Amino acid sequence: MKHLISFRWPLVAVCLFVFLQLCCSYHFYYIEQNQLFLFTTDYFLSALKVPGGLTVYMAEWMTQFFMLPYAGPLVVSILLTCAGILCEALFKRLNAGKYGFVCSFFPLVSLLLAHFNFNYYTQGTVAYLFMLGALYLTLRIADATKRLIAATLVAVGLFFLSGSVAILYALCLFVITILNRTKRWYLFALPVTVTFVLALVSVRFACFGHYRFALLPDAYYHPQSLPVASIYISWWILPFLLFAVKLLSSKQQGRTMWLKQGVLAAVLVGFTYWGIQSYGDFKSAKLKELDFYARTQQWPKIIEACKGKVTNLLYMNYLNMALAREGMLGDQMFAFDQREPRSLMVNWNKTAEVSALLSDVYFAIGDIASAQEMAFEGNVAVHGYGSPRMLMRLVQTNLIYGAYPVAEKYISLLEHTFFYDKWAASHRKFLGNDALIEQDPLLGSMRRCLPDTSRLVALNGALADLETVAVANPQHKAAFQYLAGVCLLSKDLAKFKELIDKYHGTPVLPSLPVPYQEAVIAFAEKDTAYWRTRGVTQEVVRRFSDYKRQVVANRNYPNAGDLLAGSYGKTYWYFYMFK
């Protein structure tokens, strides 16, 4: 039994790691892209200039490793386990006895719930550990006067090193002092008063933009997003546990003790289940998985993951981008569950996530101006020094445009990172070297997509921009495939006919993929001579005859669409008629 007890926290760490790896592995890859850690003196000093800067620096140093497999779950499981260990030590200091171990899981689980949200910063957990450690060490000081002096100094130091968590430290110490009936307990309101004054002064001198960042755990959440309740739970639950530990610490043995432990364990299980169900955010797991595949250019995995019914437009954006990257969009578009034009490009909502997605989509198309604009928007939407992914895109787009000083600025930033420095150094050779860019398979191809004259983004409308790219570089098929796709998904067959008449037989569209042939029949059903001029094959004609026969035979059947889906669900005719 003693061996089991000695290994219980390592066992907890292993269980946490396995759970996070199985349920949230892509979540940590996603988080890593929303911060940038730089190995520079200026970066370190700038972090220390604001309250909580040290924990910001430490947390971002840890977060950079989330890009490695297993690193995110490993780091977070270690942090959470340390929180549990410190809580148990704290509760035992308060005479919690055998209840301390179970009680220590409540803050641990509360922090876990906060980590489920990708807008929550790892800094919040690091700061919480600082607070728990400071609280435990303060309680080890036996003399009340010395403890008061130390607590006041620690509260000030904790505020500057860890931020608003100093408020929680001071309040918890005040509660403990009251519960322990310490003489002149009211004097321990001094650390509380000092931290509140520091918080108010820091807002007054613009160290924080709002009082909630100086007083609440909002400081450890994306400042442009409305905080969710899960980030407050670890703050609410700790003072409550102090009261609970005091209540449970009575010298009762036997059945009463076991009953209390059983009830406490049942409450913990219920709390954990409720928290995971409420804040687990597992619905976004697939989106984060697709985003990871897109960032690492694993296009076949995106295509495989999106087979079957897909209703999420963001998923469809990743799918169609992957099809375009693999050269399959024209042929295979309607083999998947397409919905509407936004299946190709969702509307921009100014968030970092959608900005990054649209930057990837525009870059795949060859619309460099729009890709650069979305990369810039995505980069500024990320708190701190930016997103590595978007900085890499800005390097690419500025090299393509020949804006070498701007590209060098972004390269210099990435050269001070641990994981992106080699990529940045490999792109430095392109600076000022037009010939080398033209020879590069990616940058050269994208530069050939640029229009002859400079333009503003979407100056002539999205469709005109796509057409311009398609004409500028006919070898880059994605632009025309997206252009035709927009027409087909919006069922604008008049515009589609215009494109076919204009570009069929040219380098832009040498021949018609099968879905385009099906669309030709759809808008020119009675003009069989026109079919032949556009290269509609006999196989497509035969299949249309079968389809039309089935439609006529089942025209009075209320669920005709479901009946025809099995044989014709992957044709444009089915999409045009039933979706």
Side-chain angles (χ1 to χ4, degrees), residues 116-365:
F116 286 139
N117 193 296
F118 64 83
N119 284 317
Y120 174 74
Y121 297 145
T122 308
Q123 177 204 0
T125 301
V126 175
Y128 201 87
L129 289 176
F130 271 56
M131 181 274 301
L132 290 173
L135 194 57
Y136 173 75
L137 293 175
T138 304
L139 291 177
R140 289 180 62 88
I141 302 174
D143 184 78
T145 302
K146 292 181 180 179
R147 183 188 296 176
L148 175 61
I149 296 172
T152 305
L153 295 175
V154 167
V156 173
L158 196 61
F159 182 81
F160 285 108
L161 295 177
S162 303
S164 61
V165 78
I167 301 289
L168 181 61
Y169 162 81
L171 289 173
C172 287
L173 184 63
F174 188 54
V175 169
I176 292 171
T177 305
I178 295 173
L179 292 174
N180 287 341
R181 299 179 182 178
T182 305
K183 291 182 179 181
R184 292 186 295 179
W185 57 267
Y186 49 85
L187 294 178
F188 281 83
L190 178 62
V192 178
T193 304
V194 169
T195 50
F196 267 93
V197 170
L198 284 173
L200 297 178
V201 171
S202 66
V203 176
R204 176 67 179 82
F205 286 93
C207 294
F208 293 110
H210 195 278
Y211 289 106
R212 66 187 180 93
F213 299 124
L215 298 168
L216 297 171
D218 297 40
Y220 314 117
Y221 197 82
H222 196 295
Q224 297 177 7
S225 300
L226 186 66
V228 295
S230 61
I231 71 167
Y232 300 105
I233 297 176
S234 61
W235 281 44
W236 298 337
I237 209 166
L238 187 58
F240 175 80
L241 284 171
L242 297 176
F243 285 101
V245 165
K246 189 68 176 178
L247 182 65
L248 292 169
S249 62
S250 57
K251 304 295 185 178
Q252 298 187 46
Q253 301 293 328
R255 293 183 178 180
T256 303
M257 182 188 69
W258 286 107
L259 179 62
K260 286 182 179 180
Q261 287 186 328
V263 171
L264 198 59
V267 172
L268 174 63
V269 171
F271 171 69
T272 304
Y273 178 80
W274 167 81
I276 292 176
Q277 290 295 314
S278 301
Y279 301 108
D281 195 28
F282 298 121
K283 292 182 179 179
S284 67
K286 185 171 183 177
L287 180 66
K288 294 168 184 173
E289 179 183 0
L290 295 176
D291 183 78
F292 172 75
Y293 292 150
R295 182 169 63 84
T296 54
Q297 300 186 20
Q298 300 184 58
W299 311 119
K301 288 190 176 182
I302 294 179
I303 296 170
E304 183 65 28
C306 291
K307 288 183 177 179
K309 186 175 182 179
V310 180
T311 57
N312 189 303
L313 292 176
L314 294 174
Y315 299 173
M316 295 304 303
N317 275 220
Y318 282 111
L319 168 64
N320 287 321
M321 175 174 59
L323 290 172
R325 286 285 199 169
E326 292 291 285
M328 298 165 55
L329 186 60
D331 293 296
Q332 297 295 321
M333 184 175 183
F334 293 97
F336 297 87
D337 192 18
Q338 303 291 342
R339 298 283 165 172
E340 55 170 289
R342 289 184 299 168
S343 297
L344 293 167
M345 284 180 281
V346 294
N347 296 331
W348 182 48
N349 63 1
K350 299 184 180 181
T351 64
E353 297 74 33
V354 172
S355 297
L357 169 59
L358 288 176
S359 180
D360 286 349
V361 170
Y362 284 124
F363 195 76
I365 293 170

Side-chain angles (χ1 to χ4, degrees), residues 101-120:
F101 179 67
V102 179
C103 287
S104 63
F105 273 89
F106 285 93
L108 185 157
V109 172
S110 301
L111 292 170
L112 173 64
L113 301 181
H115 275 281
F116 286 139
N117 193 296
F118 64 83
N119 284 317
Y120 174 74

Side-chain angles (χ1 to χ4, degrees), residues 399 402-405 427-437 447:
L399 286 175
Y404 299 123
H427 281 71
R428 185 170 284 279
K429 65 187 177 186
F430 294 112
L431 294 173
N433 196 330
D434 290 335
L436 193 59
I437 290 178
R447 178 173 280 191

Side-chain angles (χ1 to χ4, degrees), residues 363-384:
F363 195 76
I365 293 170
D367 187 348
I368 306 304
S370 298
Q372 180 168 277
E373 182 196 25
M374 288 295 100
F376 181 81
E377 295 291 349
N379 195 57
V380 298
V382 172
H383 186 59

